[in-house]
C-alpha cells in the first residue's frame, strides 16, 4: 500500500498519490489510487481505502445499513458538520428503518417502489419527500463510486412526483407590512422589563435590511461593524449535539461585506447604547444576545407573537 510523493502542493501541504492494491472475490488483481495533500491526510486516505476494500472482502452480504456506515465515515471528512448531521438524520429516520437489512445487490425496483410507498404514507410535503430521495440517491451514487454497486436503481425508478400538490410559495412582507411587524417588535421591547428584549427587534431588523441567514445573524459581533459596513465571516448552528457550533458561512461566496442602510445603522447605534450599562461589554459581544446567541425556538415564538400583534400572516424567518 504505497504512498508516493508528487510534485506540487496545496495550502502549503505536499501532494501525494495513495495506492492500495487488492485482489477481488474473483481472484482478479486491482488497485485504487487517490490524491491527497499532506502526509497525515495521505495516511488517513490509505486507511479509508483499505477499510473499503476490507468491507468488500469480509461482507459477502453488504446491506444498506453497512453501506450507510461506510458512507457516513467517508462523508465526515468532506462536508460541514451541519450537512453531515442532516444526512445522518434523514437516512437513519427514513431509509434505514425500511431498507436497512436489504442486501445492496438485491436492491431492485420493486423494493424501491415499496420504500416510496412507505415514505408516501408518512404524508410529507413533496419537497420533503424529494429531499429524502436526493440524499438516499447520493449515498447509492457513492456506493457506485467505490465499486460496491454497479448502478443506481433509484435513478431508474425516479423521484417523488405530485400531480395535485403545489410547491409551497415563498411568502414575504411588503415594506408596509414589515413596518407593522417591526412596530410590534419595538413596542414589545419598550414595555419589557429587561433591555435584552431589544435583541429580538434588532434580530428581525438585521434580517429584513440585509437578508442574512439566521445562523449568520446569531454569529454577528459588534466587532463585525465598521462604520456603515457589516462583515459576515461566520455562522452558528444550534442543532448539533454538544451545543452551539460556530463555523464559516454556508459557502465561500457567503463571506461578504455589506453596506448597511441608514435605518439599520440607526437601530444598531441605539441598540449598542443600551448595552453600555453592562460593565463587561466589549466588541466581542454578540449583537443579538450578548454573551450567548438568541435561541432558535425563542426567535420562532417571537416571530409568531409579533406577526399576531401586527395582524399579519406568520412567515418563515428566511422568507
Amino acid at each position: 500500500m504505497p504512498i508516493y510523493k508528487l510534485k506540487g502542493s496545496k495550502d502549503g501541504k505536499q501532494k501525494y498519490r495513495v495506492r492500495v492494491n487488492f485482489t477481488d472475490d474473483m481472484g482478479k488483481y486491482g488497485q485504487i489510487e487517490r490524491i491527497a495533500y499532506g502526509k497525515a491526510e495521505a495516511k488517513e486516505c490509505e486507511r479509508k481505502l483499505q477499510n473499503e476494500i476490507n468491507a468488500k472482502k469480509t461482507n459477502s452480504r453488504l446491506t444498506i445499513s453497512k453501506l450507510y456506515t461506510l458512507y457516513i465515515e467517508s462523508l465526515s471528512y468532506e462536508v460541514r458538520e451541519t450537512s453531515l448531521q442532516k444526512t445522518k438524520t434523514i437516512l437513519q429516520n427514513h431509509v434505514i428503518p425500511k431498507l436497512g437489512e436489504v442486501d445492496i445487490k438485491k436492491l431492485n425496483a420493486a423494493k424501491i417502489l415499496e420504500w416510496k410507498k412507505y415514505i408516501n404514507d408518512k404524508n410529507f410535503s413533496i419537497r420533503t419527500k424529494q429531499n429524502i430521495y436526493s440524499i438516499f440517491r447520493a449515498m447509492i451514487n457513492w456506493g457506485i463510486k467505490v465499486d460496491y454497486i454497479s448502478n443506481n436503481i433509484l435513478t431508474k425508478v425516479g423521484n417523488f412526483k405530485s400531480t395535485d400538490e403545489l410547491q409551497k410559495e415563498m411568502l414575504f412582507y411588503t415594506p408596509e407590512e414589515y413596518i407593522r411587524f417591526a412596530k410590534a417588535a419595538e413596542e414589545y421591547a419598550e414595555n419589557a422589563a429587561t433591555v435584552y428584549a431589544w435583541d429580538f427587534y434588532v434580530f428581525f431588523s438585521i434580517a429584513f435590511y440585509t437578508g442574512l441567514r439566521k445562523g449568520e445573524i446569531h454569529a454577528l459581533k459588534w466587532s463585525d461593524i465598521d462604520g456603515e459596513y457589516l462583515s459576515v465571516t461566520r455562522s452558528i448552528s444550534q442543532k448539533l449535539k454538544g451545543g452551539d457550533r460556530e463555523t464559516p458561512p454556508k459557502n465561500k461566496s457567503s463571506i461578504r461585506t455589506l453596506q448597511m442602510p441608514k435605518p439599520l445603522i440607526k437601530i444598531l447605534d441605539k441598540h449598542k447604547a443600551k448595552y453600555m450599562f453592562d460593565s463587561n461589554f466589549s466588541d466581542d459581544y454578540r449583537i443579538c444576545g450578548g454573551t450567548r446567541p438568541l435561541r432558535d425556538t425563542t426567535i420562532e415564538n417571537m416571530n409568531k407573537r409579533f406577526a399576531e400583534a401586527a395582524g399579519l400572516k406568520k412567515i418563515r424567518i428566511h422568507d
Side-chain angles (χ1 to χ4, degrees):
M1 296 184 289
I3 297 177
Y4 301 97
K5 183 185 290 188
L6 302 177
K7 291 183 179 180
S9 63
K10 183 178 181 181
D11 296 330
K13 293 185 177 181
Q14 177 66 45
K15 184 178 182 180
Y16 292 91
R17 176 186 291 117
V18 181
R19 177 182 295 164
V20 177
N21 303 318
F22 66 93
T23 303
D24 65 19
D25 294 336
M26 303 299 292
K28 184 180 178 181
Y29 172 80
Q31 60 181 220
I32 302 176
E33 289 188 354
R34 297 285 187 272
I35 297 297
Y37 291 89
K39 191 170 184 179
E41 288 80 357
K43 288 184 177 180
E44 177 61 23
C45 178
E46 181 185 51
R47 184 189 69 80
K48 287 169 58 181
L49 290 175
Q50 188 59 57
N51 284 345
E52 291 172 7
I53 291 171
N54 291 340
K56 293 178 185 178
K57 289 183 177 180
T58 60
N59 291 283
S60 57
R61 182 177 179 269
L62 183 61
T63 63
I64 294 295
S65 288
K66 291 177 181 177
L67 179 69
Y68 162 80
T69 301
L70 295 168
Y71 176 56
I72 292 301
E73 180 183 2
S74 174
L75 209 61
S76 65
Y77 298 97
E78 300 172 1
V79 302
R80 289 160 54 96
E81 190 175 2
T82 49
S83 299
L84 180 67
Q85 186 59 49
K86 177 183 176 182
T87 297
K88 289 171 66 176
T89 299
I90 286 178
L91 292 174
Q92 286 174 353
N93 293 342
H94 307 304
V95 175
I96 300 304
K98 183 67 176 177
L99 297 174
E101 295 308 308
V102 174
D103 188 327
I104 59 172
K105 294 179 181 179
K106 297 179 180 179
L107 186 64
N108 54 31
K111 285 186 171 58
I112 294 301
L113 289 172
E114 288 178 8
W115 171 76
K116 289 182 72 174
K117 182 180 183 304
Y118 164 76
I119 297 298
N120 276 322
D121 289 343
K122 291 177 178 286
N123 199 31
F124 291 143
S125 69
I126 185 64
R127 182 178 295 178
T128 297
K129 289 186 284 189
Q130 289 177 342
N131 190 37
I132 294 169
Y133 171 92
S134 296
I135 289 177
F136 186 13
R137 182 183 61 191
M139 182 178 77
I140 299 299
N141 280 338
W142 178 83
I144 294 171
K145 178 181 177 182
V146 296
D147 297 326
Y148 289 139
I149 316 170
S150 60
N151 62 81
N152 194 334
I153 194 65
L154 268 81
T155 303
K156 292 183 178 180
V157 173
N159 205 335
F160 293 91
K161 297 179 181 179
S162 175
T163 57
D164 55 4
E165 180 181 346
L166 296 175
Q167 291 283 347
K168 274 189 176 179
E169 179 184 1
M170 180 175 284
L171 302 175
F172 59 89
Y173 287 148
T174 64
E176 293 76 15
E177 288 175 324
Y178 177 72
I179 289 171
R180 287 161 54 191
F181 179 91
K183 184 177 180 182
E186 188 174 17
E187 288 178 352
Y188 168 82
E190 288 175 344
N191 296 323
T194 172
V195 68
Y196 293 111
W198 284 96
D199 287 340
F200 302 107
Y201 170 59
V202 173
F203 179 96
F204 289 112
S205 297
I206 294 172
F208 180 76
Y209 284 111
T210 67
L212 263 63
R213 299 179 179 92
K214 182 169 58 176
E216 293 171 342
I217 301 176
H218 283 323
L220 287 176
K221 298 181 179 182
W222 289 105
S223 57
D224 294 321
I225 296 178
D226 183 8
E228 61 184 23
Y229 293 96
L230 180 67
S231 296
V232 183
T233 60
R234 67 186 83 84
S235 181
I236 286 181
S237 175
Q238 298 181 13
K239 297 180 180 179
L240 300 172
K241 292 181 179 179
D244 294 356
R245 194 87 81 255
E246 185 176 291
T247 65
K250 190 173 183 180
N251 47 56
K252 288 183 179 180
S253 63
S254 296
I255 298 176
R256 58 206 187 276
T257 299
L258 307 175
Q259 185 176 21
M260 297 183 292
K262 290 180 180 179
L264 180 58
I265 294 173
K266 184 177 179 180
I267 290 169
L268 289 172
D269 286 345
K270 184 177 180 180
H271 185 48
K272 188 173 185 179
K274 290 180 179 295
Y275 258 111
M276 291 304 180
F277 79 94
D278 187 341
S279 59
N280 294 318
F281 175 82
S282 74
D283 280 354
D284 202 43
Y285 266 39
R286 305 287 180 187
I287 293 177
C288 299
T291 56
R292 184 173 184 248
L294 301 176
R295 300 294 88 192
D296 284 342
T297 52
T298 309
I299 287 290
E300 288 291 347
N301 291 336
M302 289 298 179
N303 182 28
K304 181 179 179 181
R305 178 176 187 154
F306 300 151
E308 289 177 349
L312 298 168
K313 61 184 177 290
K314 177 183 175 294
I315 66 175
R316 294 175 298 180
I317 290 172
H318 196 60
D319 289 350

